[in-house]
Amino acid sequence: MLPLSPFLKTLPVYQPGRPIEEVAREMNLPADSIIKVASNENPFGPSPLALAALQKAIASVNLYPDGNAFYFKQKLAAKLGVEPANLILGNGSNEIIEFVSHALLGNSSAGVSPAATDGKAARAGALAAGETPALPLAANVVVSQFCFAIYPIVAKMFGANVIVVPAKDYGHDLPAMLKAITPKTRIVFVANPNNPTGTLAPREEVIQFVNEVPDDVLLVMDEAYIEFLDDAVDLVPLIRLGVRKNLILMRTFSKIYGLAGLRIGYGIGNPDLIAALEKTRQPFNINSLAQAAALAALDDDEHVRETRSNNFGGLQFFEKAFRDLKLEFVPSFANFILVRVGEGQKIFDAMQKQGVIVRPMGGYQLPEWIRISVGTPKENERSLGALKTALGKI
């Protein structure tokens, strides 16, 4: 028998939203009769510019992609007002989580003695130099209750402990998270807006938190949904000006840009940190089609505006409907909404039988809730109708 790592026995497996094809087979329904509002995807699809770029790029898929994504990085950097050296690309922003874990948690289960490191000062110096120092035993990461499931999963993959700070109104309690940091904390993960709850941390708390996280702890701000905000806290200048070298911002083309199937995300950070993370990145992790589509999508501001406008209207639609139905919900700043329906799995099953795929929240310790992604107005109406039928309110 293979000597598999013992931690795998207790490591949870991330459960993605169910694909349309699988539900069609199981429910014996035509695939084109099913709508998927489970995974926070763009209901409008990709930008027409991205689709045109994909068509052109297909002819060259016999060639390896540009391993450094030169043209895409140049254009993205210019749009963000940073240098290409501030950027690292990932196979979705999920891969960025792995990069930082490799760099900062890679020795956390290797049996390194606490005496092998000079503690906080050594870790701070190594981080600034873009190196990974020897770690004391039981390094940890700090996350919020109801955080994105991948944070604790990846941390445990690297043998780290996970400190879970109780949520405040289903969102991050940033002052409490700051107090939870210990000398063994290596990474703090914060998603703003948060997935799966859609909450947004107060601007003043975010600024204070970013400034007060210790210099030897990496703060990972997951901004996958930031483009849906009208007035977001802009943390990019802190990186551009070199003010916070222990900060990395994660963003993605999966949501507002509608390129989830191509898997392309990116991190924005200090050049020394990015250079260290590049050592953990596999060659050619961003395929040529993803590079071409994302490059073109950056030019389509109208597609982004239309998606944001549709999302705002969809959130208003659901909030009014839930108030009318007297259902508790969490006000959302992302492209989905969390609603309390009683038996979440039962309602999910009933809606799926009607050809509407939502997301049950039992895996997030929210068994009474489901999450519904904002779709087109027609899809929103259908989702609401299926929910009413499932609840017996029609």
Side-chain angles (χ1 to χ4, degrees):
M1 186 173 180
L2 293 174
L4 299 176
S5 298
F7 76 86
L8 290 174
K9 293 181 180 179
T10 57
L11 188 70
V13 177
Y14 178 75
Q15 297 295 330
R18 302 196 69 196
I20 289 175
E21 295 78 9
E22 182 180 332
V23 173
R25 288 194 302 269
E26 185 178 310
M27 299 288 120
N28 195 26
L29 294 170
D32 60 4
S33 71
I34 297 173
I35 62 169
K36 181 186 176 190
V37 285
S39 299
N40 313 333
E41 295 146 336
N42 189 325
F44 294 152
S47 155
L49 298 182
L51 291 175
L54 280 172
Q55 289 291 333
K56 184 177 180 180
I58 286 173
S60 300
V61 294
N62 60 308
L63 303 176
Y64 283 105
D66 177 358
N68 292 312
F70 176 83
Y71 292 108
F72 175 61
K73 270 191 178 180
Q74 291 284 331
K75 192 167 192 174
L76 180 59
K79 190 175 184 72
L80 295 169
V82 298
E83 297 297 322
N86 290 115
L87 300 175
I88 185 167
L89 305 182
N91 188 254
S93 56
N94 276 23
E95 194 177 26
I96 310 297
I97 301 171
E98 289 193 41
F99 295 160
V100 301
S101 299
H102 272 295
L104 292 160
L105 303 175
N107 294 329
S108 61
S109 61
V112 179
S113 166
T117 179
D118 190 26
K120 184 173 180 179
R123 294 197 304 275
L127 181 61
E131 300 172 357
T132 302
L135 298 175
L137 287 173
N140 68 58
V141 305
V142 175
V143 302
S144 174
Q145 183 186 17
F146 312 134
C147 70
F148 183 40
I150 296 297
Y151 307 153
I153 288 176
V154 173
K156 291 174 183 177
M157 282 174 57
F158 285 89
N161 292 327
V162 179
I163 297 175
V164 180
V165 177
K168 181 180 180 181
D169 298 325
Y170 298 100
H172 292 72
D173 186 341
L174 293 182
M177 292 182 71
L178 195 63
K179 293 178 181 177
I181 295 172
T182 76
K184 294 181 180 179
T185 301
R186 301 295 289 155
I187 305 171
V188 179
F189 288 103
V190 175
N192 198 43
N194 185 48
N195 176 25
T197 61
T199 54
L200 185 70
R203 173 181 294 270
E204 297 76 16
E205 288 189 10
V206 171
I207 295 171
Q208 181 177 2
F209 187 76
V210 171
N211 287 327
E212 294 187 9
V213 169
D215 292 343
D216 63 328
V217 175
L218 179 65
L219 172 56
V220 180
M221 293 292 294
D222 188 342
E223 299 183 332
Y225 299 92
I226 192 169
E227 290 92 353
F228 291 99
L229 300 176
D230 288 328
D231 186 26
V233 180
D234 185 7
L235 299 177
V236 174
L238 298 180
I239 294 172
R240 182 190 304 124
L241 300 174
V243 176
R244 299 305 296 167
K245 296 182 179 181
N246 65 327
L247 171 66
I248 185 168
L249 310 178
M250 296 195 310
R251 296 184 182 179
T252 182
F253 280 76
S254 294
K255 306 305 179 184
I256 206 163
Y257 287 105
L259 299 178
L262 290 176
R263 311 304 301 128
I264 182 164
Y266 59 99
I268 314 168
N270 178 267
D272 290 338
L273 172 62
I274 296 300
L277 299 184
E278 281 287 353
K279 295 180 179 181
T280 73
R281 183 178 65 85
Q282 292 292 321
F284 311 122
N285 65 322
I286 307 300
N287 68 69
S288 55
L289 298 184
Q291 291 185 40
L295 182 68
L298 287 173
D299 285 331
D300 200 340
D301 293 334
E302 181 61 26
H303 180 256
V304 170
R305 282 193 296 269
E306 288 181 0
T307 301
R308 186 186 294 118
S309 175
N310 177 76
N311 189 70
F312 180 74
L315 289 175
Q316 287 188 316
F317 169 82
F318 279 119
E319 289 182 4
K320 180 182 183 304
F322 296 155
R323 289 191 188 97
D324 292 343
L325 292 170
K326 295 180 171 52
L327 294 176
E328 181 184 355
F329 65 92
V330 179
S332 177
F333 294 86
N335 67 337
F336 55 82
I337 191 163
L338 199 65
V339 58
R340 195 171 198 165
V341 294
E343 296 182 60
Q345 185 65 42
K346 182 178 178 181
I347 297 300
F348 161 79
D349 290 336
M351 294 181 71
Q352 187 172 249
K353 289 177 182 177
Q354 300 174 67
V356 177
I357 310 171
V358 296
R359 189 69 180 267
M361 289 286 103
Y364 282 92
Q365 288 74 56
L366 292 164
E368 297 182 346
W369 300 72
I370 61 172
R371 191 186 68 196
I372 304 176
S373 303
V374 173
T376 63
K378 185 177 180 180
E379 289 172 336
N380 295 338
E381 290 279 3
R382 186 171 168 197
S383 296
L384 179 61
L387 175 60
K388 288 180 177 178
T389 298
L391 291 170
K393 290 183 179 286
I394 291 182

